[in-house]
């Protein structure tokens, strides 16, 4: 694994207009107190930056440092409040609206002229934003034109507070798969993916032309009424990131998709089909404010106010970077069933048993990395800790550790959750960047990434799903052709020719 | 509780009669168990699903409560639930469930 990009986008005004909890409430209960209170419970950009989990996500704080800070973190002020981090950035909403336009190929996104004039110089300061991206942003149109689109052309609005600053038009007269709402979701996913991908390529220290394949693994679907999930967000994202030698495709699997996608990438590289593969996913507007009602009820700000994006670069062994050990892969199969012990065993011990490792031989487990500030007030508990307890309980059942050591196991091998609850975004992969650094510095030896997914949400199966893999230090450059180098082959051929020649001479004599 | 599950509970109750239905929960902690239990007894406290304002008053237990555990084949329970017993705060869950049953269960 050569590098990673992690980005967040603060989108307070998309919570009301695009988060399904809020859009559903507007249909079911339009006069609700909750809807009236949303605005008062939004966090300003500065607070979002000075938030421990967000700074951990973009890499300015390590999860091990965060572990030492007792939560809940929402009332604390993180001493680091930078926009930019080791892996990416926390982009503000206004600049992101420009990025949405930059990724639009079909003239669906319109922005108000003075808004563009005021915001473009800010975006130009962002070092990751290329001239190509900036060149795609248009001058803007009069505000009356935007008002008309939203009022009478079924366009969806882009807001800064109460002010309408942009509109996204529908892409078909009546196809619901190309409605303005769907186009916003997909363009937001594409824009946030592209941002993460640009960071991953830069952080991996590779040329853009080295990426030969891009795998997108979000939970969105793009297509029209004849092919609703037609897909290949991947290629469109690679195009924006100027990966001109890359093709790509999408992998789906609800929240488990990123872990599946990394496995596919590792397989493509190991098989020698592609030398360098990028895995990428962007954020989901639908999940903004998903647990907002619980947060507001408990006097908390609406904490699901950011979109998340990530990208990792997987390439052939360079003799330096951490390896994904494809001998230690866990998967929940059709026959695994839904009993928690079977689920956890399939994802952890079944994989470790293949190479004779114990549960305690893995330094850190990165399962569902949801931020507990968000999930606990919503009654879902501390998800990563619950997962670690289950892994620990399994270790107890197998006799790897004693019952009395369960809490100590969780403390030692667990990580705090710091990812926004954006479905696929928290699913194991947020730790890959930190794990790469920890393994390179010698601080960590083995890290297990676990992705899990709730397939029943699609109503096609009641099955649960998950896959896992192990990250390890580099085992050294591999010798060519299973231990026989090119020089060795030359030497063998030369020797054979000499033997043949001397045979001829002897025959002649 | 998931809106689809609320609908299923409602439909099954209409089909078999509320006195013949027992709802078995597997939620991971006390508060979530309590909300689910309240949903199938007093009605959906979040006012979002088909059980909003519908007080079914059903009998409801969490799978980790002693009363339910006794009904199981111990081997099956060991295989399916014992690991979660180590993980969950059973006392907190049982307390929450007991309180909801006392207040809202009609059968």
């Amino acid at each position: 694994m050569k590098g990673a990009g992690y980005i967040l986008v603060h989108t307070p005004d998309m919570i009301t207009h695009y988060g399904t909890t809020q859009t559903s409430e507007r249909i079911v209960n339009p006069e609700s107190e909750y809807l009236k209170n949303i605005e008062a419970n939004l966090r300003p950009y500065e607070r979002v930056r000075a938030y421990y989990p967000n700074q951990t996500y973009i890499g300015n704080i390590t999860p091990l440092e965060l572990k030492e800070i007792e939560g809940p973190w929402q009332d604390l002020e993180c001493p680091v409040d930078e926009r930019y981090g080791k892996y990416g950035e926390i982009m503000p909403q206004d600049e992101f609206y420009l990025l949405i336009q930059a990724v639009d190929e079909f003239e669906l996104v319109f922005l108000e002229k003075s808004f563009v004039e005021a915001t473009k110089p800010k975006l130009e300061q962002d070092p990751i934003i290329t001239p190509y991206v900036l060149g795609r942003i248009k001058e803007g149109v009069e505000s009356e034109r935007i008002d008309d689109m939203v009022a009478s052309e079924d366009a969806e609005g882009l807001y800064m507070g109460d002010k309408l600053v942009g509109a996204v038009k529908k892409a078909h007269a009546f196809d619901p798969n190309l409605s303005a709402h769907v186009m916003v979701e997909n363009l937001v996913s594409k824009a946030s993916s592209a941002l993460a991908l640009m960071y991953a390529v830069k952080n991996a220290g590779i040329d853009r032309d080295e990426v030969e394949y891009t795998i997108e693994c979000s939970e969105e679907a793009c297509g029209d009424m004849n092919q609703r999930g037609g897909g290949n967000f991947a290629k469109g994202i690679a195009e924006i990131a100027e990966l001109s030698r890359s093709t790509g495709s999408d992998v789906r699997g609800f929240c488990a998709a990123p872990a599946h996608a990394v496995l596919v990438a590792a397989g493509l590289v190991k098989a020698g089909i592609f030398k360098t593969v990028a895995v990428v996913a962007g954020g989901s507007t639908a999940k903004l404010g998903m647990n907002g009602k619980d947060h507001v009820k408990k006097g908390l700000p609406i904490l699901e106010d950011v979109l998340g994006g990530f990208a990792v670069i997987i390439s052939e062994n360079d003799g330096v970077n951490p390896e994904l050990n494809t001998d230690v892969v866990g998967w929940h199969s059709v026959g695994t069933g839904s009993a928690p012990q079977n689920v956890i065993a399939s994802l952890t011990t079944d994989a470790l048993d293949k190479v004779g490792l114990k549960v305690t031989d893995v330094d850190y487990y990165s399962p569902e990395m949801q931020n507990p500030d968000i999930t606990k007030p919503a009654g879902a508990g501390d998800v990563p800790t619950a997962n670690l307890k289950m892994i620990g309980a399994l270790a107890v059942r197998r006799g790897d550790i004693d019952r009395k050591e369960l809490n100590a196991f969780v403390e030692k091998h667990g990580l705090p959750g710091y990812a926004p609850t954006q479905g696929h975004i928290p699913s194991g992969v947020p730790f890959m960047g930190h794990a790469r650094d920890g393994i390179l510095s010698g601080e960590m030896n083995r890290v297990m990434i676990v992705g899990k997914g709730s397939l029943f949400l699609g109503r096609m199966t009641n099955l649960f799903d998950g896959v896992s893999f192990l990250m390890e230090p580099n085992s050294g450059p591999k010798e060519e052709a299973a231990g026989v180098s090119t020089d060795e082959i030359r030497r063998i051929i030369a020797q054979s020719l000499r033997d043949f020649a001397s045979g001829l001479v002897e025959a002649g004599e | 509780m998931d809106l689809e599950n609320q609908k299923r509970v409602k439909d099954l109750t209409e089909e078999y009669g509320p006195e013949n239905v027992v709802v078995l929960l597997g939620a991971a902690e006390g508060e979530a168990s309590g909300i689910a239990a309240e949903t199938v007894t007093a009605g959906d406290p979040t006012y979002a699903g088909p059980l909003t304002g519908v007080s079914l008053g059903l009998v409801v237990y969490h799978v980790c409560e002693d009363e339910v555990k006794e009904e199981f084949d111990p081997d099956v329970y060991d295989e399916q639930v014992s690991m979660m017993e180590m993980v969950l705060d059973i006392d907190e869950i049982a307390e929450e469930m007991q309180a909801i049953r006392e207040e809202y269960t009609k059968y």
Side-chain angles (χ1 to χ4, degrees), chain B residues 38-96:
Chain B
E38 194 179 334
T39 306
V40 298
T41 51
D44 181 4
T46 67
Y47 302 101
L51 291 178
T52 302
V54 181
S55 298
L56 296 179
L58 301 178
V59 178
V60 56
Y61 283 94
H62 192 282
V63 73
C64 287
E65 287 186 273
D66 286 339
E67 295 92 325
V68 178
K69 189 176 176 180
E70 285 163 13
E71 300 287 325
F72 274 85
D73 176 332
D75 290 341
V76 172
Y77 201 82
D78 184 58
E79 198 197 315
Q80 301 280 325
V81 189
S82 66
M83 195 186 86
M84 288 312 287
E85 268 189 308
M86 264 189 264
V87 173
L88 302 180
D89 187 341
I90 309 281
D91 292 342
E92 186 197 60
I93 290 171
E95 209 174 290
E96 189 81 25

Side-chain angles (χ1 to χ4, degrees), chain A residues 386-408:
Chain A
N387 272 280
L388 252 291
K389 280 186 189 164
M390 286 193 273
I391 296 169
L394 183 65
V396 172
R397 276 175 65 86
R398 287 161 53 93
D400 285 358
I401 59 169
D402 190 75
R403 176 82 167 85
K404 290 197 291 290
E405 297 169 308
L406 181 56
N407 285 340

Side-chain angles (χ1 to χ4, degrees), chain A residues 310-358:
Chain A
F310 90 97
V312 294
I313 305 292
I314 311 293
S315 68
E316 62 181 0
N317 192 348
D318 60 4
V320 177
N321 273 291
E323 293 177 21
L324 306 181
N325 186 342
T326 48
D327 293 332
V328 191
V329 171
W331 65 91
H332 178 282
S333 69
V334 170
T336 302
S338 58
Q341 44 251 61
N342 295 349
V343 170
I344 294 292
S346 72
L347 295 174
T348 57
T349 51
D350 288 0
L352 296 170
D353 284 348
K354 289 176 206 165
V355 291
L357 290 174
K358 288 197 304 226

Side-chain angles (χ1 to χ4, degrees), chain A residues 172-485:
Chain A
H172 188 276
F174 54 81
D175 184 348
N177 305 289
L178 296 170
S179 70
H181 189 89
V182 171
M183 294 318 297
V184 172
E185 283 192 349
N186 287 351
L187 288 168
V188 162
S189 184
K190 184 182 176 188
S192 47
S193 305
L195 188 61
L197 182 56
M198 290 190 283
Y199 273 108
V201 170
K202 174 177 164 278
N203 296 343
I206 57 171
D207 285 339
R208 290 182 197 133
D209 283 352
E210 287 181 54
V211 180
E212 295 173 325
Y213 204 81
T214 301
I215 305 175
E216 193 265 7
C217 53
S218 75
E219 298 176 275
E220 309 298 352
C222 70
D224 65 9
M225 57 185 148
N226 292 314
Q227 42 269 314
R228 187 157 41 86
N232 224 333
F233 275 94
K235 204 156 183 176
I237 296 160
E239 181 185 21
I240 298 297
E242 297 176 85
L243 309 183
S244 62
R245 285 191 64 244
S246 179
T247 182
S249 65
D250 302 343
V251 163
R252 289 291 175 270
F254 283 97
C255 306
H260 280 285
V262 172
L263 278 186
V264 172
L268 288 171
V269 169
K270 190 163 186 189
I273 299 172
F274 298 110
K275 285 192 176 65
T276 300
V277 179
V279 174
V280 63
S284 155
T285 49
K287 296 185 189 81
L288 291 167
M290 197 163 47
N291 297 290
K293 281 185 184 174
D294 288 308
H295 295 154
V296 170
K297 199 160 69 188
K298 293 187 175 154
L300 300 168
I302 295 177
L303 295 163
E304 290 157 307
D305 53 5
V306 291
L307 303 164
F310 90 97
V312 294
I313 305 292
I314 311 293
S315 68
E316 62 181 0
N317 192 348
D318 60 4
V320 177
N321 273 291
E323 293 177 21
L324 306 181
N325 186 342
T326 48
D327 293 332
V328 191
V329 171
W331 65 91
H332 178 282
S333 69
V334 170
T336 302
S338 58
Q341 44 251 61
N342 295 349
V343 170
I344 294 292
S346 72
L347 295 174
T348 57
T349 51
D350 288 0
L352 296 170
D353 284 348
K354 289 176 206 165
V355 291
L357 290 174
K358 288 197 304 226
V359 176
T360 46
D361 289 331
V362 174
D363 298 328
Y364 295 103
Y365 289 88
S366 172
E368 305 295 281
M369 297 300 282
Q370 279 95 342
N371 173 0
D373 276 6
I374 296 171
T375 55
K376 277 166 112 175
D382 181 333
V383 181
T385 305
N387 272 280
L388 252 291
K389 280 186 189 164
M390 286 193 273
I391 296 169
L394 183 65
V396 172
R397 276 175 65 86
R398 287 161 53 93
D400 285 358
I401 59 169
D402 190 75
R403 176 82 167 85
K404 290 197 291 290
E405 297 169 308
L406 181 56
N407 285 340
F409 172 87
V410 173
E411 180 57 30
K412 186 176 172 197
H413 298 271
L415 297 161
Y418 53 86
T421 47
Q422 291 253 294
H424 55 291
I425 294 295
S427 200
V429 291
F431 190 57
M432 286 185 77
H434 288 292
R436 175 177 174 269
D437 291 345
I439 290 171
L440 282 174
S441 71
E443 196 182 358
M444 298 169 198
N445 194 35
R446 292 192 192 93
V447 172
M448 184 171 255
I449 306 292
V450 184
K452 291 157 96 182
S454 304
L455 308 189
F456 48 85
L457 294 170
R459 308 293 193 260
M460 283 293 115
T461 170
N462 257 312
L463 288 174
F464 170 85
D465 184 49
V467 288
S468 64
F469 56 87
L470 199 65
M471 289 177 70
E472 286 181 328
N474 198 288
S475 57
K478 295 278 176 291
E479 288 190 16
E480 295 165 58
V484 185
S485 70

